[in-house]
Amino acid sequence: MKLGLHVGTICKNANLETALELCEANGYDVIELRMDMLRDYLTRHTIEGLSDWFASHNLKPHTLNPAPFFNFRDEAGWKELEDGFRQTCEYCAAIGCHTVNAVPTSDVGAKTTREIFEESVASLLRLAEIGKPYDVRLSVEFLGQPNCSVNTFRQAYEIVKAADSSHIGITLDCYHFHAMNSHLEDLLATDPGKIFTVHINDCEDYPVGQLNDTLRLWPGKGCINLDGSFSALKKIGYEGVVSVEEFRPEYYELAAEVSVQAAKAAMTEVLHSNGLI
Ligand code: ZN
């Protein structure tokens, strides 16, 4: 199991240079990067410099994000998505990163589950063709909000299964899993090889469909049944990346070092108590 931090957790209290040094110093195995922070970094450094940094440190890049709103694009939208994803893939190839989280579109109008399924499979396969020459995979991160076109684990996994590509998998974000009442029995029936990333976090206790990202908490500090999800992951044999991802305004008030340490301690406790580390 590899322990990671999604850089969004400290995106307002650290730049990428600081995030890299703090994750390395605190024993993380991987970091999940964001294009906005990478672009900022590239105003002071080169992509080759970042590649050299990873080559000389233990910390490695796991994802570079996002591939935003991959389904229900019009022609102009597709060009924007493809151009952006191609640029992301070029950076991925330069630094040895092989995964990008693909986010479904929200507010797509009245579409049936079947229509969303068919359109999403076709869109992912089209986008995945761009990633293949760079050896970059797409990891579908469903969003646990009512207006997102793909908003449960089961719906996302059925799309991923049907796409049937080694370059297309799923991101299990515990917050999104909880937020729209995804089911543990669906997770227990999952091929672990199709899970490319697990985002660990927690949240305040609001009813289904009424949560938002600012209500996230450190793992184990909220109402999510993390023991259920992580015992299921152990049962199916998942041994990939588990990464803390938070977007809580109060956490951005902390020193970045405090957040990096708190995230690691909270994640470690949940994984240890479920026999995963
Ligand atoms: Zn996530």
Side-chain angles (χ1 to χ4, degrees):
M1 190 135 290
K2 289 183 176 168
L3 305 189
L5 184 79
H6 190 293
V7 82
T9 305
I10 50 171
C11 62
K12 293 184 181 171
N13 42 356
N15 60 19
L16 185 52
E17 295 93 312
T18 304
L20 292 169
E21 295 296 342
L22 287 175
C23 286
E24 174 79 6
N26 285 280
Y28 284 85
D29 302 303
V30 297
I31 187 166
E32 295 194 78
L33 305 168
R34 275 192 3 185
M35 279 297 285
D36 56 350
M37 290 180 78
L38 177 57
R39 285 197 191 95
D40 172 65
Y41 174 94
L42 292 175
T43 63
R44 298 178 293 279
H45 307 274
T46 62
I47 196 72
E48 292 78 16
L50 182 58
S51 174
D52 290 344
W53 191 94
F54 281 121
S56 59
H57 291 78
N58 290 321
L59 187 73
K60 301 299 173 210
H62 175 55
T63 63
L64 174 56
N65 303 300
F69 319 128
F70 66 81
N71 54 0
F72 296 100
R73 290 282 196 150
D74 60 18
E75 212 40 55
W78 261 105
K79 178 160 176 27
E80 181 188 30
L81 176 63
E82 288 179 329
D83 288 350
F85 185 52
R86 201 169 282 113
Q87 171 77 83
T88 303
C89 287
E90 283 170 8
Y91 287 142
C92 282
I95 61 173
C97 179
H98 298 288
T99 309
V100 173
N101 286 320
V103 181
T105 306
S106 295
D107 299 315
V108 297
K111 304 286 183 192
T112 65
T113 307
R114 188 77 207 169
E115 287 170 327
I116 295 169
F117 170 85
E118 288 174 355
E119 207 281 347
S120 298
V121 171
S123 292
L124 284 168
L125 288 170
R126 176 175 171 178
L127 202 56
E129 286 305 310
I130 293 174
K132 281 181 186 173
Y134 301 94
D135 196 17
V136 170
R137 316 175 299 175
L138 290 164
S139 191
V140 178
E141 182 161 14
F142 65 96
L143 304 182
Q145 56 198 43
N147 64 333
C148 186
S149 56
V150 184
N151 60 19
T152 64
F153 181 86
R154 181 177 195 153
Q155 188 191 7
Y157 187 59
E158 284 179 353
I159 290 165
V160 165
K161 254 195 318 186
D164 193 23
S165 164
S166 59
H167 282 75
I168 298 172
I170 190 167
T171 294
L172 163 60
D173 182 310
C174 295
Y175 162 81
H176 292 305
F177 190 91
H178 167 84
M180 284 293 288
N181 253 353
S182 287
H183 301 304
L184 286 175
E185 57 262 36
D186 293 325
L187 179 54
L188 283 163
T190 301
D191 170 0
K194 289 289 183 194
I195 302 175
F196 289 174
T197 307
V198 173
H199 287 164
I200 184 172
N201 37 47
D202 215 321
C203 67
E204 296 184 43
D205 191 5
Y206 281 72
V208 168
Q210 294 185 32
L211 279 155
N212 66 69
D213 285 320
T214 68
L215 300 170
R216 292 179 180 220
L217 292 165
W218 299 126
K221 311 299 182 196
C223 68
I224 296 181
N225 178 15
L226 292 176
D227 289 343
S229 290
F230 283 91
S231 61
L233 287 166
K234 183 174 170 61
K235 207 168 276 182
I236 64 173
Y238 178 73
E239 294 179 338
V241 166
V242 179
S243 178
V244 177
E245 185 191 44
E246 309 284 346
F247 299 105
R248 189 174 181 85
E250 289 91 327
Y251 293 170
Y252 293 132
E253 303 295 322
L254 302 170
E257 184 170 21
V258 172
S259 282
V260 169
Q261 290 170 350
K264 179 97 181 292
M267 165 167 60
T268 302
E269 196 173 326
V270 172
L271 296 180
H272 189 261
S273 69
N274 285 284
L276 284 154
I277 54 172

